[in-house]
Amino acid sequence: MSRDHVEPVERSVTDADAAVRGAEPAPGVPGGVTGGAEAPFLELLARGASADAYERPVLLARAEGLPAERIAALEQAKLLALRVRSELEGRRRREAELSALFETAHDLAGLRDVDAVLQAIVQRARSLLGTDVAYLSLNDPVRGDTYMRVTEGSVAARFQQLRLGMGEGLGGLVAQTARPYVTDDYFRDDRFRHTMTIDAGVHDEGLVAILGVPLMLGANVIGVLFAADRRARVFEREQIALLGSFAALAAAAIDTANLLTETRAALADLERANEIIQDRSAVIERASDVHDRLAELVLRGGGVHDVAAAVSQVLAGAVRFTEAGAAPAGALETSRAEGHAVRHEDDWIAAVTTGGELLGALVLRGHPGLDPVDQRTLERAAMVTSLLLLARRSAAEAEQRVRGELLDDLLDARDRDPRILRERASRLHADLDATHVVLAARLEADTADADQEAAARRRLWSAASHLAATRHGLAAARDGGTVLLLPLAPGDSATKLAHRTARHLGTAVHEAVTVGASAPLQGPAAHPDAVVAAYEEGRRCVEALRLLGRCGDGAAADDFGFLGLLLAGDRDVTGFVERTIGEVVAYDERRGTDLVRTLDAYFACGMSPARTKDDLHVHVNTVAQRLERVARLLGDDWQSPARALEIQLALRLQRLAARIPS
């Protein structure tokens, strides 16, 4: 021990000796009587005897029958000696504590391994406080709990591996209040929240008395330092303060380790940044190259595919422009919302947008490890593509207006010369002698803002006009929506065309669009009245879809079965009857049979063969044979509810048309 550590003890002994010499005699005892009474106690002090040994001189004096004055003097000297002994022990303890704190601070100053420093802190705390166990827990901000970092004297594996939720156990109370807490009997203390996990670990370790002090970094609690005994114990104020000092050193060690880690990380980041800067030079050159190429394309009037080809060369990958409906919907929406290219599996998707309208996408195929600068290059190419498309759209708007005027003339000026209509359509690459379908399209956006609604309608008209131009058709804004006249390809149907159109327009304007289609229309130039009727049929189909809750969908009047009669207005009733029971009627005409009358009677008798044979005055087997023939003509599902309803309606219409009495 150093001279600085010894001097306080020597001063304590001198002070104690002076106290004995200068002590006042006991009340009623002459001052001279105490002379020599302190001698045995000074010897006990010199030997460092236990506190019990200080009773022996008094007991001997009483046993020898010494005067009461002498015994009183010995009692007085004993009390003074015990005070000196207590003071000496306190100073020695504080000296050991200060020495331990000094050594811990020295370890901290030369910090190399934070785990070693924390282990030393826990060991010294356990030694100086004389506890069975000491341990330190740290908060985990990622998982939101606290875990055992260091233990000393622990024997239970479950205790050493405890993870505690915030606010649980004595440690949770310390963390919440940022103040020390002590319990002399853990399991009987209800000041904190007990949990099965914590109590099981404490029980395995056999702990009873526990003292916990917070580890503070500024105003934040980052953990708790504990000292614990396996028996009931009262921790003194000085012991609590000592453990708090060790906790402060532990927090400083952790803070220092964090700073060292951050410094090393910063140095590593600087090294990586230097490497990245060196590696970026080639990438920046590529970005400059693509910028020059894109600028040249814009100046010489290049197209979107020219942009895709230029970017493909720079990025050494396959880049192509695609329509919005052909790109992955989720990735395309994310790119549109964030304004950046996004990865989709091994591809990259960059949305091509203008305002709130989605025009398409640039897709880079098979290039998962795209560099950030190259990603920006793809995004810039998407912006240039949108500018080119806008320029093309501006040039095409005049053509779109012409297409709209032609369709308006078909719908309004029914006395137009068909030859002139064909010539105007030919200049727009449309053939009005081919089979077409009239489609009525309506937005389903529910907004009270008139400006927003008008903007949505403009986007719908723009998208419909673009679709009509690419499909060699016509489009016009009408009745708050859009009407299209599109050619019907061989093998296609009005229903399929309506579905595709609804999906295409909805994707383009990013809102639900409902589309109703007319029946196929042959040679609209020569039949303007049929165009008007077909448009009304498409509008009624849209209203039917809305009533059926199918907003955003597409359908044709034929999709509604016999309800198509109600939608079509002046559709051909004879055609409906022919499609529904024409095979049966033709069979009767060819063979002279009575299948139609049998069907009428069968439905009138509640589809009961037994009652039907009575009504027809034939054998039941005859009824069965006729119904089998009907099944071969109409199909096995002719008695299903939907088919049966249509057949009954066709029978009724056929009977009314022929004026056959029921």
Side-chain angles (χ1 to χ4, degrees), residues 286 289 293 308-317 319:
R286 290 204 309 273
D289 180 34
R293 293 192 184 193
V311 179
S312 296
Q313 293 178 2
V314 174
L315 299 183
V319 178

Side-chain angles (χ1 to χ4, degrees), residues 441-446 452-461 480-482 505-506 509-514 546:
R442 296 290 184 275
L443 279 170
E444 298 301 334
D446 185 14
Q452 291 183 3
E453 183 177 354
R457 289 180 177 178
R458 285 194 297 271
R459 292 198 302 272
L460 175 61
W461 174 81
T482 302
L505 295 179
V509 302
H510 201 61
E511 291 183 21
V513 177
T514 305
R546 287 176 168 177

Side-chain angles (χ1 to χ4, degrees), residues 40-52:
F41 299 107
L42 290 176
E43 182 181 356
L44 293 173
L45 286 171
R47 289 194 291 111
S50 65
D52 296 339

Side-chain angles (χ1 to χ4, degrees), residues 258-309:
N258 291 340
L259 291 175
L260 287 174
T261 301
E262 292 174 2
T263 302
R264 294 190 185 104
L267 290 174
D269 289 342
L270 288 175
E271 292 177 358
R272 286 194 297 271
N274 185 49
E275 294 174 357
I276 292 172
I277 290 173
Q278 294 176 356
D279 294 340
R280 290 305 88 186
S281 58
V283 177
I284 293 173
E285 290 179 4
R286 290 204 309 273
S288 177
D289 180 34
V290 76
H291 179 272
D292 294 341
R293 293 192 184 193
L294 294 178
E296 181 183 356
L297 283 174
V298 173
L299 291 175
R300 65 181 175 85
V304 294
H305 297 292
D306 296 324
V307 173

Side-chain angles (χ1 to χ4, degrees), residues 294 298 304 307 339 350-354 359 362 376-390:
L294 294 178
V298 173
V304 294
V307 173
V352 178
T353 62
T354 173
L359 303 178
L362 284 184
R376 180 59 181 158
T377 297
L378 184 62
E379 295 165 358
R380 184 178 301 164
M383 294 175 59
V384 172
T385 301
S386 67
L387 292 175
L388 291 176
L389 290 175
L390 281 176

Side-chain angles (χ1 to χ4, degrees), residues 29-60:
V29 179
V33 176
T34 62
E38 69 276 8
F41 299 107
L42 290 176
E43 182 181 356
L44 293 173
L45 286 171
R47 289 194 291 111
S50 65
D52 296 339
Y54 286 76
E55 294 291 340
R56 185 173 181 78
V58 178
L59 294 175
L60 288 174

